[in-house]
Amino acid sequence: MNKFLFSMILAPVAAMAFQVGAWVGGPGQYPQPTQQNVQAFQDLQGTHLDLISYFALFDINDWNATAQYANVAKNNGSTLVVTWMANGYNAQELVNGKADNYIRDYAKGVKGFGDEIWLRPLHEANGDWYDWGVGKEGAGNTDANVAEAFRHIVKIFKEEGVTNVKWVWTTNASNQGSGTTLTGNYPGDEYVDYISIDGYNWGKCQSWSSWQTFSQVFKKAYNALANINKPLFIAEISSSELGGNKAEWITDMFEHFATDFSRVFAVMWFSQSKEANEGDWALNTSQAAVDAWKAGIAKMKAMAPESSSSEAVIESSSSVSSSSTTAIRTGGITDKFSFRQQGGKLLLQVDRAMTASVVQFDHQGRILWQSTVRHFTPGEHMLDVPEAGTRSIYRLNVQR
């Protein structure tokens, strides 16, 4: 008889509907997410933008510069995601307080704004192209001082009493430069709300590049982040048209979101065609690409369960245990249930009648098995689940 132990229970989480965002691009060399540009992108994709991307540079873009775009997002019913770029500073200079006055003023501005914004400072630190990058030669950056610099920024906001920020830590999809790692500069759960990945399929737009599938671009980073228990999204993504089929690449991307990249709760397209030394990143480089994006969004929205969910992680062990979880549903209703596994069977105990499904994942977020949506009466129910031979995550999705 195979016996299992519930080794960990994740905190109850509200089911997150899939969110769509973008750097919306626009005319000119330096476009911004103005209301006109935001609306143009929404018209292009035929649906609302949940997340709007904006890039702010230390010392150059203070809160007053950011506020106009924060208000655009607010008025659009969206959230502004600020990629906060410490250009001109290495990690140790940030730790030593060289940018503190600017950071503190920005924090006061964010606090005064009141509505939620997401900040992602020191993004792509596992590369060699930014001043804070671990791979940047001669900059003196390490995983340790980049992580400390991130914590230092968050601490200033806490000192100022800012409560309307979600902190985003971002890794690039691949490492570049000596000493770089995918997760080594992670600052710790206390300082991070969401984790994210940036990645691009450069196709053949460069002499050094070749066509890569979505999985080839993102799989290593996604797997590396598997053990960080934070909501995960794609903060920057795009594909070239050169060297392959961009529309098929986008379709494939959404297929992965529905299967082995199921932890991804949002995707933000970087929609701007740049000069020859970069790529044709805009969404509308072909109508086929736009159509694939629209179809993918519709698919993800249709898949999103009108439910709440909670998770339990089970590992092979020599004893049997059970553990309870509570799923908090919209409207203040709570569902109390427990899992235990015995003899290859998953036993689910529920306290009331409910309609739900059970999903089994591996530790990398791949769906291994999913039950049909069925009605459960109060009491214990036995489900036949495939034996995974490794740690499994079981999620109960309760339908509203």
Side-chain angles (χ1 to χ4, degrees):
M1 179 183 294
N2 293 322
K3 297 182 179 181
F4 296 85
L5 169 68
F6 279 78
S7 61
M8 177 175 69
I9 291 296
L10 305 181
V13 291
M16 300 180 72
F18 192 83
Q19 298 186 53
V20 178
W23 166 253
V24 297
Q29 188 174 3
Y30 301 104
Q32 295 293 348
T34 63
Q35 182 56 52
Q36 181 180 5
N37 290 343
V38 168
Q39 189 58 54
F41 192 87
Q42 290 182 147
D43 291 342
L44 178 69
Q45 70 173 14
T47 191
H48 178 260
L49 275 171
D50 304 299
L51 307 170
I52 295 173
S53 179
Y54 170 71
F55 294 82
L57 279 63
F58 274 38
D59 297 332
I60 295 174
N61 305 119
D62 60 9
W63 175 252
N64 289 333
T66 302
Q68 59 183 310
Y69 305 110
N71 283 315
V72 166
K74 178 179 179 178
N75 294 335
N76 195 63
S78 309
T79 300
L80 190 72
V81 182
V82 180
T83 303
W84 206 16
M85 303 172 65
N87 289 14
Y89 297 94
N90 65 30
Q92 195 58 47
E93 287 173 333
L94 294 172
V95 172
N96 293 343
K98 190 174 180 181
D100 279 9
N101 289 339
Y102 166 78
I103 296 168
R104 196 170 298 277
D105 285 345
Y106 204 94
K108 292 175 180 177
V110 171
K111 182 179 181 179
F113 176 63
D115 282 59
E116 180 178 292
I117 69 167
W118 299 3
L119 290 179
R120 58 181 199 126
L122 311 181
H123 75 304
E124 301 175 9
N126 59 321
D128 61 2
W129 45 87
Y130 289 128
D131 292 327
W132 57 90
V134 173
K136 188 175 180 64
E137 189 173 353
N141 300 318
T142 65
D143 277 344
N145 65 11
V146 170
E148 184 57 36
F150 193 108
R151 291 191 289 266
H152 182 79
I153 292 169
V154 175
K155 287 174 183 176
I156 290 175
F157 274 68
K158 290 182 177 180
E159 289 170 2
E160 293 296 330
V162 183
T163 59
N164 55 314
V165 168
K166 295 295 186 185
W167 292 102
V168 180
W169 174 82
T170 305
T171 193
N172 193 60
S174 59
N175 299 318
Q176 185 67 43
S178 177
T180 55
T181 62
L182 288 166
T183 60
N185 65 82
Y186 182 67
D189 290 352
E190 181 183 350
Y191 299 90
V192 175
D193 296 294
Y194 302 138
I195 55 177
S196 66
I197 308 171
D198 291 351
Y200 293 81
N201 170 34
W202 290 77
K204 293 185 176 179
C205 71
Q206 301 293 310
S207 60
W208 48 263
S209 63
S210 60
W211 188 267
Q212 292 183 292
T213 66
F214 170 84
S215 186
Q216 287 172 328
V217 175
F218 283 95
K219 192 62 174 178
K220 287 184 179 179
Y222 184 82
N223 288 349
L225 270 57
N227 291 320
I228 301 177
N229 186 24
K230 294 288 182 180
L232 183 153
F233 71 103
I234 307 295
E236 291 183 38
I237 191 172
S238 191
S239 172
S240 172
E241 288 274 12
L242 302 177
N245 189 310
K246 182 173 181 174
E248 290 181 0
W249 195 93
I250 293 171
T251 298
D252 179 61
M253 172 185 72
F254 283 105
E255 288 293 329
H256 283 290
F257 291 158
T259 55
D260 58 330
F261 281 72
S262 59
R263 282 189 62 194
V264 174
F265 76 88
V267 60
M268 301 184 69
W269 192 266
F270 187 91
S271 189
Q272 183 182 349
S273 285
K274 293 200 168 185
E275 57 273 12
N277 69 328
E278 281 212 31
D280 48 347
W281 304 131
L283 178 62
N284 58 341
T285 49
S286 66
Q287 186 58 48
V290 175
D291 291 343
W293 175 256
K294 292 167 73 172
I297 292 172
K299 175 181 179 178
M300 297 307 295
K301 296 290 188 182
M303 286 179 58
E306 291 188 354
S307 67
S308 58
S309 65
S310 191
E311 299 176 336
V313 179
I314 304 177
E315 291 183 346
S316 296
S317 179
S318 59
S319 61
V320 176
S321 180
S322 66
S323 195
S324 298
T325 60
T326 301
I328 303 172
R329 298 172 60 205
T330 303
I333 303 171
T334 62
D335 298 314
K336 293 183 179 179
F337 56 89
S338 63
F339 287 109
R340 62 188 180 93
Q341 193 154 3
Q342 183 175 346
K345 304 289 186 180
L346 183 68
L347 303 179
L348 169 64
Q349 178 82 33
V350 297
D351 71 334
R352 68 168 188 86
M354 64 178 67
T355 301
S357 64
V358 177
V359 186
Q360 180 190 28
F361 302 89
D362 68 9
H363 75 284
Q364 294 176 349
R366 292 185 293 245
I367 295 177
L368 302 176
W369 170 83
Q370 182 168 358
S371 75
T372 59
V373 177
R374 54 176 284 190
H375 183 73
F376 294 96
T377 57
E380 190 170 67
H381 301 267
M382 181 178 294
L383 294 89
D384 290 310
V385 299
E387 189 170 332
T390 184
R391 182 177 65 170
S392 291
I393 301 170
Y394 289 93
R395 173 181 294 162
L396 182 67
N397 289 332
V398 183
Q399 306 295 302
R400 288 204 298 265

